[in-house]
Amino acid sequence: VTIRVVLGEDSYLAREAIMHVLEAEDDIEIVAACSDLDSLRLTIADVRPDVVLTDISMPPSHTDEGIRLAAELRDTHPDIGVVILSQYAEPVFATKLLEGSTDRRAYLLKERVQGRGDVTRALQEVVAGRSIVDPRIVELLLAAQRRRDNSRFDTLTPREQEILGLVAEGLNNGAIAERIVITKRAVERHINSIFSKLGLADAEHYSRRVKAALLYLADRAG
Amino acid sequence: MTQLQCASAVHPAATDARASGSPPPAVSARPWKRALTVFAVAAAGLALWATARADFLASPGWLAAQKAGLILGPIGAGIYWMRRRPGNRFGLLLIVLGLLGVPSILESSSDPTLFAIGVLDGTPIYAMTTVVILAFPSGRLEGLPERLVLAGLVVTMLLVVAVTESASHLVPGLAIPDCRAACPEPRLGLAAPRSDGIVEHVLGVLSVAVALGTAAVIAWRFHTGTPPRRRAHAIGSPIAVLFLLTAAAYRGLLVFEPGGLGAGERWIQDWLRWGLAGTLALIWSGYLLALVAAQLFAARVLRDVVDASMRRPSVEGLERLLRERLGDPGLRIGFWCERERDFAGTAGEPLEPSPRQALTTVEREGRPAAAILHDVQLSDDPELLSAAGSAALLAAENTELDRAWNASLRELEASRARLTQASDRERRKLERDLHDGAQQRLMAIQIKLRLAKDQTSDPRLADDLEAIGADAEQAVEELRTLAHGIYPPVLRSYGLTEALRSFSRSAPIEVAVRDDGIGRCPRTVEAAIYFCSTEAVQNAVKHAGDGARVMITLGRDGPLARFAIADDGVGIAEPSSAGGEGLIGMRDRIGAFGGEFEIRSSPGAGTTVRGTVPLNGNSR
């Protein structure tokens, strides 16, 4: 099935580069490209894409237009996914994006575009109703955690800390198992252990655990 | 604070504010004054010597003192008046009175002709005394009552001259209290005194009228005068009034009893004659005291005005003070207006003297600078007016200086705010250029590298492209750090609390951020507080020591954004010296938006940086 994408990007260079990369993908079709928030909003209402792939900042205010658009779409078009391509390696923007619900939301740093597969995977995950957070963001949160004298976090084993980061990134158990080369059952065991140590609920519900892990990391760090 | 309506009236840069209208500094007496002084002392000495030796007199000792006092007193007081008030003729009148006293020395001569001349001198002395009394303190005879009294005096004198034969009787009775046995027979071809002449009666009545009229003028002046004039009369005139009343009583007595009182009541007549001689010889002393008192009063008023000037009064306030102290409700202060070539009052209106008013000007460097419009009676006290005028000028200049100072201070603050705002704008622009420009271009390069790598079959080239891609990624990372340091995107998007929490994650010290509801503030305020807080955290990293924790608190106090950065570290003894440029930068940033900033620290008690920034002020 082809994923229909509307692109929001105000930089000509970046827009061309992103379109160039994604044109090579068979199951992705860019149906429109916009360079500011207002036209992006109108185009989405018009063409009703599966996913909006958008820059975080664009005219008019060059702040967090992409995040705000994602929040609006939560109400107006809950079925449309949003993948934010951001130049800001700032956990705050990711947690803002995932406020409310993590479903169909992804926060990727722009440099992921060069690794063609990352953007494609994000688009696919979002269409599937899941969420993704850039590993760099999770890494920042984990690094901040490690700097803290945080006893509860310290009870996690290094392996568990690694898996918590992958959960925050939005990987499912199978993907985690694949990434760190252990069995899926081992991943499930680790995750149950992590979530009970941290006192987090919803460990079973995949789509909420990303947020839980992410917000946990962000809160502890703040 | 009121500003001068005519700004050109005041030249704040000029520092020499000495008014040229003020009394000249006491210089050594001019030669003629010295000669006059020597002459007066000599004449007084002669009077003492001659009179003390006149054995035909009943009380030569007392008379010697009286004659010496009549010469030396008025001349001395007159010279002092002329020195203190060069523009006032009263001093001259006193000197004339003293000089008229010189011929009366001849009364002490037993030579009949000289004695007669001395006796005749009593008449001009009496007349001059009356003129002096009337002319105090202005030195002029201006009002209608004064002129009437003067006319009466002139008529009296003419009568005395016309009826010369009665002069021998009239004048000795006034001037010489008594002779031991018989006074020398005046020999100027004059007839013997006639005690029953009708002219003599008229003369007596006129004399009483002139004396009472003069006393009435003084009383009326005291009643209607301004406080300074009343003070002058209260101090200067009592002896004069006593003299006038005594003269009136004595003349009245002679009108009713031309031959004098009988032996039993003779003492009344003697008392009156001695009283007359004594008061006549001491009248000058009251006028000397009055001058000294006026100067003391001027000094007191001046001190009050200067005290008031220290509190930076408006010109109106100063005007009110002078009105109150000088008892002149119509007093007005004005300043020279170069454009109008005239003095202008506090409301810019011209100073037009009414008939009862006069204008005293204060000059500076030979040019008119200020003026006081006042009751004409206040002209009696020129030193008071010029001192008040100088003080008013000074106060007005202070006010003007304050205004100019405040204006330039405001301009300076505005300019500092503009500079900081401009620098913030540049920071934001730079950050955006880096994030949206350079970084995007690097990203495009990365993608092209990836595509090129995918297309090549040369493994060495692929490795090179891979390495270049890694360099580009490193460049993106560095660019991002750089841009973040210039202006954090989180601050722009989500405000202080999120931005500082984000900052705290990467801080090498434990930082907690507590938000008491600061909300979003104007961008410039957020930038100021953000960079101030991060600077304070850097300071804590350097100075607080191992294991220290930092708490950043953000909130609002009414119209102010409030922030505090406290650490629980070791503290520093001299907080102002720590931080150096960073601290100055913090102060400048906060100050540029009218905010306040303080840093407190002491060994063992940690360091707290706290401040407030107005939310509305000159932001954005």
Side-chain angles (χ1 to χ4, degrees):
Chain A
V1 186
T2 303
I3 302 171
R4 297 173 70 244
V5 176
V6 166
L7 178 61
E9 172 62 69
D10 61 312
S11 156
Y12 171 78
L13 276 174
R15 196 163 62 231
E16 290 301 305
I18 292 164
M19 285 167 73
H20 195 83
V21 166
L22 293 181
E23 269 165 14
E25 301 289 328
D26 294 335
D27 55 349
I28 292 172
E29 183 197 354
I30 296 184
V31 292
C34 307
S35 60
D36 67 85
L37 181 62
D38 289 337
S39 62
L40 187 57
R41 212 183 262 135
L42 290 172
T43 307
I44 291 165
D46 195 26
V47 306
R48 294 182 162 268
D50 299 315
V51 185
V52 179
L53 175 64
T54 180
D55 189 6
I56 188 168
S57 93
M58 62 180 80
S61 73
H62 285 283
T63 53
D64 63 337
E65 277 80 1
I67 308 281
R68 280 187 274 140
L69 178 72
E72 282 173 29
L73 291 178
R74 182 83 63 205
D75 296 331
T76 56
H77 301 90
D79 53 329
I80 296 180
V82 177
V83 174
I84 298 285
L85 274 181
S86 171
Q87 62 266 52
Y88 307 138
E90 281 287 352
V92 177
F93 291 106
T95 53
K96 292 276 178 191
L97 177 70
L98 301 183
E99 259 174 20
S101 163
T102 56
D103 294 357
R104 298 174 205 276
R105 294 291 179 268
Y107 188 92
L108 286 190
L109 292 180
K110 282 226 166 122
E111 49 261 47
R112 298 303 158 222
V113 177
Q114 64 153 326
R116 189 181 313 166
D118 288 342
V119 177
T120 310
R121 186 174 73 89
L123 291 171
Q124 287 163 346
E125 288 289 310
V126 161
V127 167
R130 290 189 286 268
S131 61
I132 297 265
V133 174
D134 195 285
R136 175 92 180 96
I137 301 290
V138 177
E139 188 186 304
L140 284 170
L141 288 171
L142 285 169
Q145 283 293 348
R146 282 189 205 102
R147 256 196 301 275
R148 299 283 166 274
D149 171 30
N150 187 319
S151 57
R152 201 141 62 129
F153 190 75
D154 282 349
T155 61
L156 298 186
T157 64
R159 174 65 91 179
E160 283 168 347
Q161 291 186 25
E162 186 184 9
I163 290 171
L164 180 65
L166 295 174
V167 168
E169 280 178 39
L171 270 60
N172 61 27
N173 291 359
I176 293 171
E178 206 175 297
R179 179 81 67 93
I180 59 177
V181 201
I182 56 172
T183 64
K184 206 173 160 190
R185 287 218 28 110
V187 172
E188 281 163 10
R189 241 189 352 262
H190 279 304
I191 286 177
N192 285 335
S193 163
I194 292 165
F195 279 63
S196 71
K197 277 183 184 174
L198 299 183
L200 294 174
D202 283 332
E204 301 306 317
H205 197 293
Y206 169 75
S207 71
R208 289 188 206 147
R209 73 180 196 177
V210 176
K211 186 186 170 195
L214 190 69
L215 291 184
Y216 173 77
L217 289 173
D219 279 358
R220 301 305 297 179
Chain B
M1 204 176 270
T2 317
Q3 279 120 49
L4 298 176
Q5 292 297 311
C6 180
S8 61
V10 171
H11 314 280
T15 49
D16 179 15
R18 193 181 72 81
S20 61
S22 61
V27 290
S28 59
R30 298 227 177 100
W32 69 266
K33 281 183 185 160
R34 211 172 297 152
L36 187 62
T37 311
V38 171
F39 172 75
V41 170
L46 180 67
L48 281 174
W49 177 77
T51 312
R53 286 177 72 252
D55 50 6
F56 61 88
L57 293 171
S59 314
W62 283 111
L63 268 180
Q66 192 257 358
K67 284 191 191 308
L70 193 57
I71 296 167
L72 203 54
I75 291 179
I79 289 175
Y80 186 65
W81 264 82
M82 288 189 78
R83 270 180 62 179
R84 304 314 309 185
R85 294 187 181 171
N88 188 313
R89 274 184 299 185
F90 187 70
L92 198 61
L93 294 178
L94 278 175
I95 291 172
V96 170
L97 177 62
L99 289 175
L100 283 176
V102 176
S104 75
I105 300 170
L106 298 174
E107 265 183 345
S108 306
S109 169
S110 51
D111 177 78
T113 309
L114 294 181
F115 176 77
I117 293 172
V119 169
L120 275 175
D121 186 38
T123 304
I125 289 178
Y126 180 77
M128 196 62 210
T129 303
T130 309
V131 169
V132 165
I133 292 171
L134 282 174
F136 176 77
S138 66
R140 280 195 289 261
L141 300 173
E142 275 169 339
L144 181 64
E146 283 90 340
R147 293 206 174 125
L148 280 176
V149 172
L150 191 65
L153 187 66
V154 169
V155 170
T156 311
M157 292 304 113
L158 288 175
L159 277 177
V160 168
V161 175
V163 196
T164 44
E165 70 247 55
S166 53
S168 60
H169 175 83
L170 177 76
V171 177
L174 170 66
I176 301 181
D178 213 347
C179 297
R180 194 184 297 273
C183 289
E185 189 66 27
R187 205 180 290 160
L188 276 175
L190 305 178
R194 273 210 331 252
S195 58
D196 54 342
I198 182 74
V199 179
E200 188 98 347
H201 273 285
V202 173
L203 202 54
V205 170
L206 253 178
S207 300
V208 172
V210 167
L212 289 179
T214 308
V217 166
I218 302 301
W220 176 78
R221 277 191 201 157
F222 183 82
H223 183 67
T224 60
T226 56
R229 177 167 280 194
R230 290 165 73 141
R231 182 173 298 101
H233 278 294
I235 297 168
S237 296
I239 300 174
V241 170
L242 195 61
F243 167 76
L244 292 169
L245 294 178
T246 313
Y250 181 63
R251 290 318 177 91
L253 187 77
L254 288 184
V255 168
F256 292 110
E257 296 283 346
L261 293 170
E265 290 143 336
R266 190 74 186 176
W267 62 273
I268 298 176
Q269 202 173 330
D270 288 347
W271 269 99
L272 286 174
R273 286 168 68 184
W274 273 111
L276 216 48
T279 49
L280 179 66
L282 289 175
I283 278 176
W284 59 271
S285 64
Y287 298 142
L288 190 64
L289 278 179
L291 181 58
V292 171
Q295 282 166 350
L296 289 177
F297 178 69
R300 269 206 313 278
V301 171
L302 185 61
R303 198 191 59 202
D304 288 355
V305 172
V306 170
D307 275 357
S309 302
M310 310 269 269
R311 294 189 294 273
R312 295 285 194 269
S314 62
V315 178
E316 281 94 342
L318 210 62
E319 208 172 54
R320 272 197 302 278
L321 177 76
L322 285 178
R323 281 177 181 171
E324 192 185 310
R325 297 292 269 119
L326 302 183
D328 178 2
L331 182 142
R332 275 153 71 200
I333 297 175
F335 297 96
W336 182 254
C337 194
E338 199 58 52
R339 191 158 28 98
E340 318 279 334
R341 311 282 314 154
D342 199 0
F343 291 103
T346 52
E349 80 287 358
L351 293 186
E352 293 290 345
S354 72
R356 294 290 303 157
Q357 284 184 314
L359 197 67
T360 295
T361 62
V362 177
E363 292 188 349
R364 188 174 47 197
E365 290 160 357
R367 288 209 308 268
I372 294 186
L373 184 69
H374 55 86
D375 192 300
V376 75
Q377 296 177 50
L378 289 176
S379 305
D380 299 346
D381 280 306
E383 56 271 80
L384 187 57
L385 286 167
S386 69
S390 304
L393 187 63
L394 216 60
E397 282 176 353
N398 277 342
T399 307
E400 180 73 2
L401 275 175
D402 276 358
R403 199 190 61 74
W405 168 257
N406 286 333
S408 50
L409 207 63
R410 274 195 301 277
E411 177 47 39
L412 206 64
E413 277 171 1
S415 136
R416 189 162 68 158
R418 280 197 300 275
L419 279 174
T420 311
Q421 277 167 14
S423 118
D424 277 351
R425 250 196 321 275
E426 286 305 309
R427 269 174 176 273
R428 285 197 300 272
K429 186 172 177 300
L430 201 58
E431 176 265 322
R432 247 178 55 196
D433 287 351
L434 289 175
H435 268 140
D436 298 345
Q439 202 182 322
Q440 308 274 32
R441 193 172 284 270
L442 273 172
M443 189 194 84
I445 290 171
Q446 283 179 296
I447 290 167
K448 282 174 188 163
L449 282 170
R450 166 64 59 185
L451 293 173
K453 192 187 152 203
D454 286 355
Q455 277 160 15
T456 185
S457 52
D458 181 348
R460 280 191 56 193
L461 183 60
D463 284 353
D464 285 352
L465 289 172
E466 180 78 37
I468 296 171
D471 283 352
E473 192 164 350
Q474 185 63 30
V476 167
E477 197 51 45
E478 282 171 15
L479 208 60
R480 187 175 276 145
T481 309
L482 185 64
H484 186 280
I486 291 170
Y487 199 94
V490 179
L491 181 62
R492 195 167 62 184
S493 295
Y494 299 120
L496 273 168
T497 308
E498 292 289 8
L500 285 170
R501 286 206 171 123
S502 173
F503 165 79
S504 74
R505 284 194 195 104
S506 55
I509 189 170
E510 190 176 335
V511 181
V513 180
R514 202 180 81 208
D515 181 3
D516 295 341
I518 193 165
R520 290 308 300 264
C521 308
R523 273 203 299 248
T524 48
V525 173
E526 287 185 339
I529 295 178
Y530 179 85
F531 288 110
C532 193
S533 303
T534 55
E535 185 67 42
V537 171
Q538 307 292 357
N539 267 9
V541 170
K542 273 185 260 172
H543 300 288
D546 292 338
R549 287 167 303 175
V550 179
M551 168 67 93
I552 300 178
T553 313
L554 303 165
R556 286 196 181 195
D557 273 344
L560 302 172
R562 160 175 63 77
F563 66 97
I565 303 96
D567 69 56
D568 59 356
V570 294
I572 35 180
E574 279 181 70
S576 55
S577 67
E581 278 179 37
L583 196 70
I584 294 169
M586 285 153 83
R587 231 178 254 290
D588 283 354
R589 242 175 198 288
I590 298 301
F593 302 106
E596 285 174 5
F597 170 89
E598 66 164 4
I599 177 162
R600 275 194 193 161
S601 185
S602 55
T607 304
T608 300
V609 172
R610 70 173 76 243
T612 53
V613 186
L615 288 164
N616 48 357
N618 33 23
S619 47
R620 265 188 206 272

